[in-house]
């Protein structure tokens, strides 16, 4: 029987695994978290897709990170907590999701300044924010979801600073179906929402105490949650030189519905169910149209390129500042001669920032895609 391997157990990967398994395929689902759910359903166990996943036979590899792979051998190198294994595939589906984009501004590395999705994950894992003054800033619909979660956990949400303009957001809102528009209103209810507004700097002695907001002055706070949209995780796909089907946010940021539809289509296709895949095409077209309008409405404004000062860190792993980078003309030069992107995150944080700030295109991706044990890279593998 053909073996379908799915990397990533977020909504896209879960849907792909379920549809392939329901179609009779032998499926292995790999994710670096202990439980399925990905970003949006982190910590949850209930819902239609969790139930369907429970009902089918899917071999799960939890807490397992795919660190590299060989497209010729159709093999992935997978680090488990206690050993490294090789997993081979007949059909490969990559559902590796997206990560947050961080843009440097003075004070962005102070304790208490967190990613919007980062604080969301911490709160879901138990961070107590009761009574804490939190400012949420950046861009995109995720900010509202984060603000709503923080408020539901007792935080004093001071407001949401959205860099996109009011005009751009109104145009976007008018293009939305009623259901999505209503969801947005519900999330925003009772939360101050400032458009054309962003964090210019964060200040504090040992941790953030206040931020300066464009056009709004100084706001005292305990936490700042900042996220400038999402960046698709395509590194594994690049290492695998196009082997496998990309689904979900790694194939273009567009929200959970697009992820679920793309996952189902890939799962049906892997199971040879062409009719099942074709039936979902109209939904996919709608979801991709929504993704395109999201992209346009929340496009980053050029002013954000000028927030970093000479001493502001761009690569925090290797302590490379905006001033240090002025002498380089490309990402490759900055890596080779300035060590930018050479630290543990391998440019996953500073790479997208440098792309926006300096227009540098990332150079080719090298393994490992995630921090890995040396033994895994040397090929000490045990099945
Ligand atoms: C931090 C963050 C928070 C978000 N919060 C919300 C929210 O509250 N509401 C909302 O509507 N949308 C949210 N989003 C957007 C959300 O990601 C999508 O709408 C949806 O979850 C995408 O599903 P997905 O399956 O495509 O990707 P994801 O849910 O991101 O799932 C991808 C999975 O692949 C795993 N993975 C990646 N690479 C590897 C590897 N090499 N080896 C093993 N596993 C790997 C990841 O750990 C993850 O579990 C958030 C996004 C981010 C980045």
């Amino acid at each position: 029987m053909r073996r379908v391997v799915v990397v990533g157990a977020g909504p896209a990967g879960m849907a792909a695994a379920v549809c392939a398994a329901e179609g009779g395929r032998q499926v292995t689902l790999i994710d670096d978290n202990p439980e399925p759910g990905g970003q949006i359903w982190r910590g949850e166990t209930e819902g239609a897709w969790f139930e369907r996943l429970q009902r089918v036979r899917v071999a799960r590899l939890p807490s397992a990170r795919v660190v590299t792979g060989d497209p010729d051998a159709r093999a992935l190198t997978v680090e488990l907590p206690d050993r490294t294994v090789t997993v081979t595939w007949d059909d490969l589906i990559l559902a590796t999701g997206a990560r947050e984009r961080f843009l440097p501004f003075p004070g962005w590395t102070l304790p208490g300044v967190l990613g919007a999705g980062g604080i969301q994950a911490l709160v879901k894992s138990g961070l107590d924010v009761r009574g804490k003054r939190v400012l949420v800033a950046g861009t995109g619909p995720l900010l509202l979801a984060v603000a709503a979660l923080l408020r539901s956990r007792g935080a004093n949400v001071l407001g949401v600073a959205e860099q996109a303009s009011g005009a751009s957001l109104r145009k976007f809102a008018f293009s939305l179906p009623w259901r999505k528009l209503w969801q947005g209103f519900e999330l925003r209810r009772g939360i101050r929402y400032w458009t054309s507004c962003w964090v210019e700097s964060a200040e504090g002695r040992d941790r953030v105490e206040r931020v300066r907001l464009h056009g709004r002055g100084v706001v005292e706070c305990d936490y700042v949650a900042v996220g400038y949209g999402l960046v698709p995780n395509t590194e594994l796909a690049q290492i695998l030189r196009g082997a496998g089907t990309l689904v979900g946010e790694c194939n273009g940021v567009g929200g959970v519905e697009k992820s679920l539809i793309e996952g189902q289509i890939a799962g049906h296709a892997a199971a040879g169910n062409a009719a099942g895949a074709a039936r979902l095409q109209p939904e996919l077209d709608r979801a991709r149209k929504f993704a395109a309008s999201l992209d346009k409405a929340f496009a980053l404004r050029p002013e954000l390129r000028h927030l970093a000062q000479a001493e502001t860190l761009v690569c925090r792993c290797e302590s490379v500042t905006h001033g240090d980078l002025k002498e380089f003309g490309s990402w490759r030069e900055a890596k080779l001669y300035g060590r930018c992107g050479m630290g543990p995150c391998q440019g996953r944080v500073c790479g997208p920032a440098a792309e926006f700030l300096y227009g540098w295109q990332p150079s080719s991706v090298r393994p490992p895609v995630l921090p890995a044990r040396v033994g895994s890279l040397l090929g000490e593998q045990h099945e």
Side-chain angles (χ1 to χ4, degrees):
M1 195 191 292
R2 288 182 74 79
R3 185 183 201 186
V4 180
V5 173
V6 182
V7 182
M14 288 167 77
V18 164
C19 292
E22 285 176 350
R25 290 291 185 260
Q26 182 191 340
V27 180
T28 302
L29 178 59
I30 306 172
D31 195 282
D32 54 355
N33 292 293
E35 301 295 339
Q39 300 291 0
I40 187 169
W41 296 333
R42 184 185 293 276
E44 294 180 24
T45 50
E46 287 174 9
W49 287 102
F50 288 95
E51 283 159 26
R52 279 175 76 175
L53 188 60
Q54 289 273 321
R55 281 203 297 269
V56 287
R57 274 172 66 94
V58 167
R60 285 195 48 230
L61 282 183
S63 304
R65 40 175 54 187
V66 178
V67 292
T68 187
D70 178 350
D72 300 323
R74 296 177 156 249
L76 300 172
T77 302
V78 185
E79 266 200 11
L80 304 175
D82 56 345
R83 66 194 199 286
T84 302
V85 297
T86 300
V87 174
T88 54
W89 76 78
D90 294 306
D91 293 294
L92 176 67
I93 299 174
L94 297 175
T96 49
R99 57 185 182 271
E100 284 191 273
R101 182 189 283 108
F102 299 98
L103 295 181
F105 54 85
W108 76 288
T109 53
L110 276 174
V113 181
L114 300 165
I119 197 168
Q120 183 191 45
L122 287 172
V123 166
K124 286 183 180 178
S125 318
L127 176 72
D128 186 0
V129 287
R130 279 174 299 175
K132 300 290 183 199
R133 299 162 304 168
V134 190
L135 180 89
V136 181
T139 203
L142 177 60
L143 302 186
L144 278 176
V146 171
L149 174 80
L150 291 168
R151 194 175 51 170
S152 74
R153 300 294 173 92
N156 172 10
V157 178
L158 303 170
V160 172
E162 165 59 62
Q163 60 90 42
S165 69
S168 171
L169 295 189
R170 275 192 293 281
K171 205 166 158 199
F172 174 65
F174 284 129
S175 75
L176 291 177
W178 274 108
R179 186 177 51 82
K180 279 197 188 293
L181 194 59
W182 183 248
Q183 268 175 7
F185 277 129
E186 282 290 292
L187 287 174
R188 207 175 136 169
R189 197 189 290 275
I191 291 178
R192 264 178 293 183
Y193 191 80
W194 304 300
T195 54
S196 298
C197 184
W198 56 90
V199 177
E200 289 179 329
S201 61
E203 294 159 20
R205 247 166 71 94
D206 302 317
R207 53 170 294 121
V208 66
E209 292 168 14
R210 70 197 78 84
V211 294
R212 185 172 297 279
L213 284 181
H214 179 79
R216 302 239 157 226
V218 173
V219 176
E220 305 278 331
C221 58
D222 301 305
Y223 286 106
V224 192
V226 198
Y228 282 102
L230 304 178
V231 182
N233 291 326
T234 58
E235 290 78 8
L236 184 59
Q238 290 179 62
I239 283 178
L240 295 174
R241 301 198 300 271
T245 306
L246 278 176
V247 295
E249 302 270 73
C250 62
N251 189 36
V253 173
V256 63
E257 284 166 19
K258 173 178 155 301
S259 288
L260 284 169
I261 297 164
E262 287 185 352
Q264 290 173 76
I265 290 176
H268 286 315
N273 178 2
R279 258 197 308 276
L280 289 163
Q281 192 59 43
E283 278 186 58
L284 180 62
D285 294 341
R286 275 195 296 277
R288 288 193 172 157
K289 204 167 148 207
F290 172 68
S293 64
L294 263 181
D295 219 33
K296 202 164 158 198
F298 295 98
L300 296 179
R301 57 173 61 232
E303 291 96 315
L304 300 173
R305 292 200 174 92
H306 308 294
L307 299 177
Q309 304 297 306
E311 64 284 2
T312 308
L313 286 178
V314 175
C315 170
R316 61 197 297 176
C317 298
E318 294 289 325
S319 301
V320 184
T321 64
H322 182 49
D324 294 334
L325 290 171
K326 287 224 164 97
E327 61 183 288
F328 304 118
S330 69
W331 176 243
R332 188 175 158 76
E333 270 183 29
K335 269 183 100 167
L336 284 177
Y337 305 116
R339 292 207 52 79
C340 188
M342 297 290 274
C345 91
Q346 287 287 293
R348 286 167 62 86
V349 175
C350 58
E355 195 174 344
F356 176 70
L357 293 181
Y358 316 118
W360 294 343
Q361 292 307 308
S363 50
S364 61
V365 177
R366 296 208 183 156
V369 287
L370 296 172
R373 291 189 292 263
V374 172
S376 304
L377 303 177
L378 291 174
E380 291 170 16
Q381 299 176 356
H382 316 280
E383 197 81 51

